[in-house]
Amino acid sequence: MDVTIPILILAIPLFMFVFLGLLGMKMTHKLAGILGTAGMGTVMVLAYTTAFTYFFSGAPEFINAAGERLQYVVFDQTWLAFTQNLVIKLGFLLDPISAMMLVVITTISFMVHLYSLGYMRDHHGVYEHGFQRFYAFLSLFSFSMLGLVVATNIFQMYIFWELVGASSYLLIGFYYTKPSAVSASKKAFIVTRFADLGFLIGILVLSYYGGTFNFTDLTSVPADGIANVYQVSEGTAASIRDLIASNPAPTFLGGSVLTWALVLIFMGGMGKSAMMPLHIWLPDAMEGPTPVSALIHAATMVVAGVYLVARLFPLYLMEETALVIITVVGALTAFYAAMVACTQIDIKRVLAFSTISQIAFMMVSLGVARPEIHHGLGYMASMFHLFTHAMFKALLFLGAGALIHAIGSNDYTAMHGLRKHMPITHITFLIGCLAIAGIIPFSGFFSKDEILSSCMGYDWVAYLWMSMVAGLTAFYMFRLYFLIFWWKEHKVPEGHHAPHDQPWTMSLPLIILAVVSCVSGFIPFGKLVSWNGHPYDFMAHFDWGVAAVSLVVALAGIGLAAKMYMRENTLPEKFRNAVPALWDWCHHRFYWDELYMFITHKIIFNSICRPLAWFDRHIIDGTMDSFATVTNKASDAIKPLQSGQIQMYVWWYLIGALALGAVTVICLI
């Protein structure tokens, strides 16, 4: 494969960031937006071309005679060499999941670029301050995510991982004059930095004992006869495990070096993917512009943790403990986020907690994936749900942006009865809700049920738990839908225009994503993506029993939401009064933010940092200040001795000599 297109996929968004960042203020807002959108559109076409070539060209570097998909290193340039084997390279790895992510990232990014042309201006056509800067930051983020998913080694991934964090900080804090946005950006940056510290330590441990940073050396073997082509191998992962086990490495709390390395690497994924207890940044990150929420916190950045685990999946198969931790963390996070979403009134926060829950779904699917369970169905199901979720969640966020743009508020209690006023937004938002609820034939039905099938093959408890979460998902999403579009007639305040659908730049992405959410479930995903490259026809093994049960659960959730919220009634208030403690805990996010504030302010700042600051200021600095004071006073005392009179100097000399002589005599006697 020629390297030109892969290089352009990375180079164009980087160039647009530099170009718009330096020259954007010298051009009109419209021109900057068009150039940024055109640049991202070009990258999308190149990414689609690359992915299509990989999946359907049949070239020997992409698929072998047995129909197994291969890993192809397009280019890999040495950057830093520590030893002969321990080398940091910068390259481009093309395999099933990286090709899929190229499609996901560029599609959502282009839709966001196009959507923002209409969203980032008011009803009078006045563009927001910093519009050019906004498009520059979007390009930087796209470049960072693309570099992350095509990384050939884990250290290259870490570099772009941190660049993603920096660019998300810039986008979340885009409204830098707004204190809540500044606070949210700092919160996201700090929380994810703690997680990334664990990620870095895990990388160093794994590379030290494994002797390499390269993904192909950790999880694959070279394919026969073709240079730069590899095939995923469980045997390579087993060799890495045995190599580490043969080292005289210490254990910690009963865990091996490899176990702790993988858990620490997963810690980085927990931060990026907002898993408990590192989830607190994501809801507050909704302070950024809504297109940013669609791009970062629905479809791209938050799935980085899932992608990380998927990339190293053969190694995780070697450590059952690490997979169990992933499963437990994912299951708890999914349930927690679903419960909280049932009580929120901010439309973007509902979608934020929905994102946390759905990402946790993907994590659980990876955690329960085993080669002996339907040939690793959980891995394929996780990647499939990643793909479908990106489309319908971006659709929901952009639909929410259209509603916010029309109403001027995030509070959906001000959005009742909008189905008549905004028909395009209504239909597309309904499609997104049906998809995430898992209603046939929408995309979420197929990906969600594959996850539930993998859970049932692993453990009945996991299956029942995640089925309950799926039911809650259907309930809170249709609670949101009915309260916005039904409930009661929307009252237009006097002197205000009635809400209406937004311009074509905002409506077209909604329509495109809605169509994709309708048809993407029929993609033969198992034949394209699997953990080891072997094609898997999941439709031939589709468990219709699991599908039927999950469909009934989803319909029950929708029915309950319709009963409570389709028409104005007293049922929501009665339910809240029946379980006030549970409602308050869910509404206040189980007080996680308060807990963190208590730990940071009461314990760390007041109980630890403040006494240390007092000790430093009064004891350490006080001691040094005392030395200086004594020195100054001594200098003041002896200053008169410097009179300039020779006679006085001679007298003091004689006195000193006599005193020294007297001391000498006394000592000799």
Side-chain angles (χ1 to χ4, degrees):
M1 183 180 200
D2 186 66
V3 301
T4 303
I5 291 180
I7 289 176
L8 287 175
I9 290 174
L10 297 175
I12 292 176
L14 179 60
F15 170 78
M16 294 308 303
F17 162 66
V18 175
F19 180 74
L20 293 176
L22 295 177
L23 302 177
M25 297 302 294
K26 299 184 181 299
M27 60 184 71
T28 63
H29 296 78
K30 187 175 182 179
L31 178 60
I34 291 174
L35 289 176
T37 305
M40 198 64 239
T42 304
V43 175
M44 183 181 69
V45 172
L46 296 176
Y48 273 58
T49 302
T50 302
F52 186 88
T53 302
Y54 176 82
F55 284 122
F56 303 111
S57 69
E61 63 265 31
F62 302 142
I63 189 169
N64 62 19
E68 300 166 340
R69 303 215 172 261
L70 307 172
Q71 297 178 327
Y72 178 58
V73 179
V74 182
F75 64 87
D76 206 19
Q77 300 297 317
T78 299
W79 180 36
L80 295 173
F82 300 103
T83 67
Q84 184 177 358
N85 296 322
L86 199 60
V87 178
I88 299 178
K89 297 183 177 181
L90 298 177
F92 194 106
L93 176 63
L94 196 57
D95 73 341
I97 58 174
S98 65
M100 176 202 70
M101 288 301 295
L102 288 177
V103 173
V104 171
I105 294 169
T106 56
T107 300
I108 304 303
S109 185
F110 175 72
M111 295 300 163
V112 166
H113 276 73
L114 180 60
Y115 181 91
S116 299
L117 291 174
Y119 183 87
M120 297 298 287
R121 59 180 180 175
D122 60 22
H123 295 286
H124 303 288
V126 178
Y127 290 91
E128 291 199 24
H129 176 71
F131 184 81
Q132 300 94 326
R133 171 169 52 89
F134 176 76
Y135 270 85
F137 292 164
L138 285 181
S139 297
L140 176 62
F141 178 84
S142 300
F143 163 72
S144 306
M145 274 303 304
L146 290 168
L148 188 155
V149 300
V150 300
T152 58
N153 61 85
I154 195 168
F155 213 97
Q156 179 187 348
M157 177 181 279
Y158 180 76
I159 294 170
F160 283 96
W161 188 279
E162 294 301 315
L163 194 55
V164 165
S167 53
S168 67
Y169 167 81
L170 296 172
L171 285 168
I172 296 169
F174 175 75
Y175 298 123
Y176 59 85
T177 58
K178 187 178 176 184
S180 59
V182 174
S183 176
S185 63
K186 292 191 291 185
K187 187 177 185 178
F189 191 80
I190 293 170
V191 172
T192 54
R193 292 295 71 71
F194 276 104
D196 294 349
L197 176 61
F199 184 19
L200 178 60
I201 296 173
I203 291 173
L204 297 177
V205 172
L206 180 62
S207 61
Y208 178 79
Y209 289 101
T212 182
F213 292 117
N214 295 335
F215 291 127
T216 52
D217 295 333
L218 293 169
T219 62
S220 311
V221 293
D224 295 333
I226 309 176
N228 301 325
V229 177
Y230 302 84
Q231 186 171 5
V232 173
S233 172
E234 194 174 351
T236 299
S239 298
I240 295 292
R241 177 198 59 194
D242 297 339
L243 174 65
I244 294 177
S246 65
N247 280 281
T251 61
F252 182 69
L253 298 178
S256 68
V257 169
L258 182 58
T259 299
W260 280 104
L262 294 176
V263 170
L264 287 168
I265 289 172
F266 172 63
M267 180 178 172
M270 289 172 61
K272 276 289 190 288
S273 294
M275 298 290 100
M276 290 176 60
L278 301 174
H279 66 283
I280 60 170
W281 66 271
L282 185 62
D284 290 348
M286 299 300 112
E287 292 291 340
T290 302
V292 171
S293 302
L295 178 63
I296 297 180
H297 311 120
T300 52
M301 175 180 166
V302 291
V303 301
V306 179
Y307 182 84
L308 173 64
V309 176
R311 174 58 69 197
L312 293 172
F313 185 71
L315 278 179
Y316 279 95
L317 282 178
M318 300 298 105
E319 293 295 335
E320 180 81 13
T321 303
L323 286 178
V324 171
I325 291 173
I326 292 173
T327 304
V328 172
V329 170
L332 292 176
T333 303
F335 179 75
Y336 157 80
M339 290 289 290
V340 174
C342 291
T343 63
Q344 301 301 301
I345 61 173
D346 186 306
I347 183 173
K348 291 175 68 176
R349 291 188 184 273
V350 174
L351 296 178
F353 281 102
S354 172
T355 297
I356 295 173
S357 184
Q358 295 301 303
I359 297 298
F361 247 94
M362 304 172 203
M363 284 293 191
V364 169
S365 189
L366 286 173
V368 303
R370 302 291 189 279
E372 63 272 17
I373 302 176
H374 302 299
H375 306 283
L377 173 63
Y379 180 96
M380 186 279 297
S382 178
M383 296 297 100
F384 193 16
H385 199 59
L386 188 158
F387 180 86
T388 59
H389 173 265
M391 303 304 166
F392 60 67
K393 184 54 63 71
L395 167 62
L396 290 168
F397 264 108
L398 296 183
L403 293 166
I404 295 169
H405 199 263
I407 302 299
S409 172
N410 291 17
D411 189 341
Y412 60 70
T413 59
M415 302 179 182
H416 304 311
L418 292 179
R419 68 188 186 279
K420 298 178 181 178
H421 299 279
M422 305 176 69
I424 296 176
T425 305
H426 169 229
I427 297 299
T428 54
F429 198 91
L430 175 60
I431 290 173
C433 290
L434 290 169
I436 195 173
I439 303 300
I440 193 169
F442 300 95
S443 59
F445 168 79
F446 299 96
S447 58
K448 181 195 71 174
D449 284 305
E450 293 303 312
I451 292 177
L452 294 177
S453 293
S454 62
C455 289
M456 187 175 69
Y458 176 76
D459 185 77
W460 272 94
V461 175
Y463 167 70
L464 293 175
W465 183 272
M466 299 311 294
S467 295
M468 178 176 59
V469 174
L472 287 173
T473 302
F475 171 77
Y476 69 69
M477 285 307 306
F478 274 87
R479 169 181 178 265
L480 178 67
Y481 165 75
F482 286 126
L483 283 173
I484 293 174
F485 295 102
W486 294 78
W487 190 246
K488 58 185 178 182
E489 287 296 319
H490 179 77
K491 303 295 184 181
V492 181
E494 186 177 351
H496 289 72
H497 296 288
H500 54 82
D501 281 315
Q502 303 306 308
W504 72 270
T505 55
M506 296 176 64
S507 297
L508 182 60
L510 295 179
I511 295 171
I512 294 173
L513 290 171
V515 172
V516 174
S517 298
C518 291
V519 303
S520 59
F522 297 97
I523 297 174
F525 206 81
K527 296 182 179 180
L528 304 176
V529 178
S530 62
W531 79 272
N532 59 359
H534 293 273
Y536 178 77
D537 188 359
F538 74 89
M539 288 305 300
H541 302 85
F542 194 81
D543 194 329
W544 287 102
V546 173
V549 172
S550 69
L551 186 60
V552 170
V553 171
L555 290 174
I558 295 173
L560 180 60
K563 179 71 174 177
M564 295 179 66
Y565 301 105
M566 192 172 184
R567 295 285 185 267
E568 190 173 5
N569 61 81
T570 59
L571 284 177
E573 186 178 356
K574 289 181 179 178
F575 178 79
R576 179 175 180 175
N577 293 334
V579 285
L582 177 61
W583 182 276
D584 287 340
W585 275 77
C586 292
H587 184 68
H588 292 93
R589 315 178 201 176
F590 287 78
Y591 297 97
W592 273 101
D593 286 85
E594 288 78 2
L595 175 61
Y596 273 95
M597 291 296 291
F598 175 78
I599 293 173
T600 54
H601 284 259
K602 298 293 186 182
I603 297 179
I604 297 177
F605 293 160
N606 291 341
S607 301
I608 299 176
C609 295
R610 194 180 295 276
L612 289 175
W614 183 91
F615 182 83
D616 178 70
R617 186 177 301 109
H618 293 88
I619 304 301
I620 305 296
D621 288 352
T623 301
M624 296 298 105
D625 291 343
S626 298
F627 287 149
T629 301
V630 171
T631 302
N632 287 332
K633 290 185 180 295
S635 84
D636 291 337
I638 65 175
K639 190 184 301 181
L641 298 177
Q642 302 293 327
S643 63
Q645 297 178 1
I646 302 296
Q647 298 91 332
M648 291 297 298
Y649 295 162
V650 172
W651 275 110
W652 282 113
Y653 175 78
L654 292 174
I655 291 170
L658 291 172
L660 181 62
V663 171
T664 303
V665 171
I666 293 171
C667 292
L668 291 175
I669 294 175

